Amino acid sequence: SSPNTFSNAMSPVNAAIVGKAFEIVKSSEGAALREKMMQNVMMLRGLLHECGLETYGDPSAIVCVRMGTEALARLVSRRLPSMGLLSNLVEFPAVPKGQARFRLQVMAKHSPHDIFDAVRRLQAAVDAAKVEEQALREGTTTLETLNRDFPLPFQDYGDIADLDALNWDVSI
């Protein structure tokens, strides 16, 4: 079988979009967008550090926020969508055990309000998850109780079409 059997050429529309993207990247508009994005990155990292949350790596459009244990990270992760914040959880085996993290994606178009709000929501989720994690370790609650009291957003919706009605705030 040919290695190109399932290959597709880029459509003319996609090629035009890529061409326009490169034009923006090379332009003064692109330079301004990169500068604004880096300002937002530095603001986000600074606010996260002020809240006691550690970030990994060099400043870039992807801000990795350390959670540590997979248990804590999963408890935070289950709260974020209902709090209007979506973030990618990275855990073992993608990273070493005990080094779970969230990847926040920053854009130039985020406002300072968006960034403050995202940090506030993440900090609230972390604080609540720490209490839940402690209660689970002490045996004063169970995952079943947490599922009942804080159901995941997708558990209550029988049809994927119902999700379109949700007002997701995905600022960061």
Side-chain angles (χ1 to χ4, degrees):
S1 149
S2 168
N4 297 322
T5 301
F6 296 104
S7 295
N8 289 319
M10 187 179 298
S11 75
V13 171
N14 285 343
I17 290 168
V18 169
K20 184 62 178 176
F22 280 124
E23 285 178 25
I24 293 170
V25 166
K26 293 178 184 178
S27 72
S28 60
E29 176 189 6
L33 288 169
R34 284 189 298 280
E35 182 178 337
K36 176 66 173 134
M37 187 266 311
M38 191 52 72
Q39 289 172 0
N40 286 347
V41 165
M42 298 309 291
M43 178 184 199
L44 176 62
R45 289 172 67 99
L47 290 170
L48 290 166
H49 287 224
E50 286 178 22
C51 290
L53 296 171
E54 180 183 344
T55 59
Y56 286 115
D58 293 328
S60 73
I62 304 295
V63 176
C64 294
V65 183
R66 181 184 183 280
M67 285 294 113
T69 68
E70 285 72 19
L72 177 63
R74 287 180 182 179
L75 290 168
V76 172
S77 183
R78 67 179 283 116
R79 284 185 165 272
L80 291 179
S82 64
M83 298 176 81
L85 183 66
L86 299 178
S87 181
N88 297 315
L89 172 59
V90 183
E91 60 184 327
F92 180 81
V95 296
K97 282 191 178 190
Q99 294 185 27
R101 61 198 69 177
F102 285 100
R103 290 172 45 106
L104 302 177
Q105 297 170 306
V106 184
M107 296 186 299
K109 300 293 184 179
H110 285 130
S111 70
H113 173 76
D114 294 333
I115 295 167
F116 280 112
D117 195 49
V119 171
R120 180 184 58 81
R121 291 173 193 220
L122 180 58
Q123 184 64 56
V126 169
D127 291 345
K130 286 179 178 178
V131 170
E132 292 171 348
E133 182 183 32
Q134 185 65 33
L136 285 166
R137 290 189 190 287
E138 293 172 353
T140 58
T141 194
T142 64
L143 286 175
E144 291 78 20
T145 301
L146 293 178
N147 286 333
R148 184 193 68 226
D149 295 345
F150 300 102
L152 296 174
F154 299 104
Q155 288 181 336
D156 295 332
Y157 301 96
D159 189 326
I160 194 72
D162 294 340
L163 294 176
D164 291 334
L166 292 175
N167 182 16
W168 294 99
D169 175 11
V170 290
S171 300
I172 286 190

